[in-house]
Amino acid sequence: EPEVTQTPSHQVTQMGQEVILRCVPISNHLYFYWYRQILGQKVEFLVSFYNNEISEKSEIFDDQFSVERPDGSNFTLKIRSTKLEDSAMYFCASSPAWGYTFGSGTRLTVV
Amino acid sequence: QQQVKQSPQSLIVQKGGISIINCAYENTAFDYFPWYQQFPGKGPALLIAIRPDVSEKKEGRFTISFNKSAKQFSLHIMDSQPGDSATYFCAARGYGGATNKLIFGTGTLLAVQP
């Protein structure tokens, strides 16, 4: 069964540093997403990406965040200057039209 | 309007029993209602999903009941097993053309006791 692959599985970074979280969505999917889950809380929408551009972003997705699909297979989330409150699990997901497949996530720890 | 309310927060069920998790929504534009199962350290995995033109959908031991007029839907796990112990999230999709984002409920931690 096709999978969404995320790397790294765990990233520790110092506050103020930039991090890039990487995702390889399922190849024939059209929609790509990043979601965030703070420990013990619900999964929150960050951003959706369709047709090579952001189609919607949440209020969480401020100027420190950016997404790219640099080469037609990878989908990245960049956090420019990390804060302690950015510590969370970050999930990439992709979707054809119905149904979503989530990756296993990247646990980001900001110290 | 964009919220999905989920209850209970946690649930303990004996092996072989029925687990029932409920969700409610306000936005009538939601058009797809999936349930996700999440084990610690893993991403949410799609369990079962329903469209609002159907009142019930069953897949194995898992059933979604959907009440469009009440704007409620629920997950029933029959013959619950210890391996079903996980966090369950309901979700709803707001169809908005190019977005299709999911709105998640707050999650239910299910523990099935042997």
Side-chain angles (χ1 to χ4, degrees), chain A residues 83-100:
Chain A
K83 305 172 200 168
L84 294 176
E85 55 265 36
D86 294 328
S87 295
M89 284 289 288
Y90 288 81
F91 293 106
C92 174
S94 69
S95 164
W98 298 103
Y100 302 73

Side-chain angles (χ1 to χ4, degrees), chain A residues 27-46:
Chain A
S27 60
N28 61 349
H29 284 186
L30 302 175
Y31 300 86
F32 312 106
Y33 309 85
W34 284 99
Y35 287 80
R36 179 180 83 175
Q37 186 178 31
I38 294 171
L39 185 64
Q41 298 187 22
K42 69 176 180 180
V43 180
E44 298 176 291
F45 169 77
L46 288 178

Side-chain angles (χ1 to χ4, degrees), chain A residues 43-100:
Chain A
V43 180
E44 298 176 291
F45 169 77
L46 288 178
V47 64
S48 60
F49 194 86
Y50 171 73
N51 202 24
N52 288 318
E53 60 183 19
I54 291 174
S55 50
E56 186 174 355
K57 58 185 180 180
S58 72
E59 61 275 7
I60 302 168
F61 194 89
D62 61 21
D63 291 344
Q64 67 165 155
F65 292 94
S66 62
V67 289
E68 277 190 342
R69 190 160 158 77
D71 56 13
S73 61
N74 291 288
F75 181 49
T76 62
L77 174 70
K78 182 191 290 186
I79 309 175
R80 252 179 285 280
S81 177
T82 50
K83 305 172 200 168
L84 294 176
E85 55 265 36
D86 294 328
S87 295
M89 284 289 288
Y90 288 81
F91 293 106
C92 174
S94 69
S95 164
W98 298 103
Y100 302 73

Side-chain angles (χ1 to χ4, degrees), chain B residues 57-84:
Chain B
K57 183 174 181 181
K58 184 175 180 180
E59 289 184 2
R61 296 185 294 110
F62 301 94
T63 300
I64 300 179
S65 297
F66 188 85
N67 186 330
K68 188 174 180 178
S69 61
K71 289 184 277 187
Q72 295 175 345
F73 59 110
S74 60
L75 175 70
H76 295 231
I77 306 174
M78 312 300 287
D79 187 26
S80 301
Q81 299 296 312
D84 297 331

Side-chain angles (χ1 to χ4, degrees), chain B residues 41-114:
Chain B
K42 299 293 185 184
L46 179 65
L47 199 57
I48 188 172
I50 199 167
R51 299 279 299 272
D53 52 350
V54 175
S55 61
E56 185 175 281
K57 183 174 181 181
K58 184 175 180 180
E59 289 184 2
R61 296 185 294 110
F62 301 94
T63 300
I64 300 179
S65 297
F66 188 85
N67 186 330
K68 188 174 180 178
S69 61
K71 289 184 277 187
Q72 295 175 345
F73 59 110
S74 60
L75 175 70
H76 295 231
I77 306 174
M78 312 300 287
D79 187 26
S80 301
Q81 299 296 312
D84 297 331
S85 298
T87 300
Y88 292 81
F89 291 96
C90 62
R93 185 185 87 154
Y95 183 68
T99 178
N100 296 333
K101 71 180 181 189
L102 286 177
I103 308 295
F104 281 82
T106 48
T108 296
L109 180 61
L110 172 65
V112 181
Q113 294 185 334

